[in-house]
Amino acid sequence: MAPDSARLLAAASALVEQGLEMVVLLDALGIVQAASAGVIKRFGLSPDELTGRAMVDLVHPDDRQRLAAELSALARSEPGTAVRVEYRVTQPDRSIRWLRTLYVNCLANPAVGAIVATCQDVTEYRQASDAFLDSHHRFETVFASTLDALLLCDDQRHYVEVNPAACALLGRTREQLLRLRIDDVVPEGEREAFVAAWPAFMTNGRAAGEQVMVRADGTQCPVEFRSVANVLPGVHLSAIRDVSARRAAEDQANLLQQQLRALTGRLHSLQEEERHRIAREVHDELGQLLTALKLDLAWSKRRLASHGLVTTSGMREKCESMSALVDDAIGSVRRIASGLHPTELDQLGLVAAIEAHVREFSVRTGVVTSVVATLDDSNLDFETRVQLLRITQEAMTNVSRHAQATTVAITLDRDDHGLRLVITDNGRGMAVVPPGSLGLLGMKERARLCGGELHVDSAPDQGTSVRVVIPARGSSGAGTRVGA
């Protein structure tokens, strides 16, 4: 190697400290003429061992043909021509590294007389670049194929990218949407509020909710959205889902629920009418028959006595037994008729009907029961009185069946918010109130028919409280049956 080339090589080798790893001089055939000390790190060969070897033999087999073609073309090119090539080399430890090499044709330069190669390890850069491209490809794939509408906008709310689902949702092409701002697809009457809310979104970084968007044909579409600010600097992402089908299903479900409640209310009304009719017929027909039977039995007893036929103890006891049976039958008829439709409810009102039921309950079960009522129920409509009585009866039935209680307290009062009925026992309680209980569902439905709500509070060994609240007229509730 000429002295000038040696000095040039020494000067070029100093560039290693500026980020280059090695400098190599090649002849026109790509044979190494000289190399800096950096070749030891990359090829495991000293500069002397590397000299005389073909450069293409030092690179990865898959890259040799490409590098040979580049070097051949460079040797035939104009002096000073440069070409940048990236290729792989196999390390002494058999690992693969990427080198970026700048080859400059200095063959005609008498001071150099070689192709000068300056090399730099770019493995980490290539890995990061490949990872970015892979991530970008995955993002593009997800962005394009997701069923939700995805829209990217800038700080001025201009759309900068949209996916096919967004185009389908808004009835516009990608090119049309990229000429619009978010404001343009919001109903005109809501644009001012939308623009006013934008700074808060930028500050908070997130937003979610429901919004109406306008399609190209002017139709409106309710959507559910989630937005994230600055997914990239100055770029904001919104994911939007069409909820018009869900809204329609919800409206249909609400309509069916209203119809079901109306039907339930009508069934309850028909049931009460039928109970009233049966109670009246049982009381009037059977009651009158049993009363007539009792009178006939008393007449027969007197006639037999006048003929001296009831002097024997057997005949007398038989007559008394028959009379007692008739009295029991009359009592059963009255109890059945009262159970079907308490006469107190018609004649004396809700409080009296509850007190009558409580007295019968206490006698039958032995549970100590109290009623505290500060309510004037004279202005309650009949339907409300019936439903509250049936709720009380169902709650008391549950106490006798499940609670194992010794006391029950019933409170019926009214305040500025409306009417309140509370039935509390000291029984064993429940850890979880069974949501599918038919009795509980029935009580809740009866409360709703009155325009109120029913709540059950219970805990193990803490008893159970059934609470009905019917809002007064003019309060925030839905109730309309309770007057002031």
Side-chain angles (χ1 to χ4, degrees), residues 384 388 391 412-422 443-444 446-455 466-472 475 477-480 482:
T384 301
L388 291 177
I391 291 172
L412 184 62
D413 58 19
R414 187 205 309 269
D415 57 21
D416 293 338
H417 300 292
L419 180 149
R420 185 180 63 160
L421 170 65
V422 182
M443 288 192 291
K444 287 187 173 183
R446 288 184 182 277
R448 280 193 287 264
L449 290 174
C450 302
E453 294 182 347
L454 182 142
H455 304 278
V466 177
R467 179 166 42 91
V468 181
V469 178
I470 302 177
S475 71
T480 58
V482 183

Side-chain angles (χ1 to χ4, degrees), residues 227-238:
S227 300
V228 180
N230 294 304
V231 291
L232 293 174
V235 179
H236 320 295
L237 171 67
S238 292

Side-chain angles (χ1 to χ4, degrees), residues 147-160:
L147 297 178
D148 288 336
L150 300 178
L151 305 99
L152 295 170
C153 71
D154 60 18
D155 291 337
Q156 287 71 46
R157 302 186 300 281
H158 287 283
Y159 287 125
V160 296

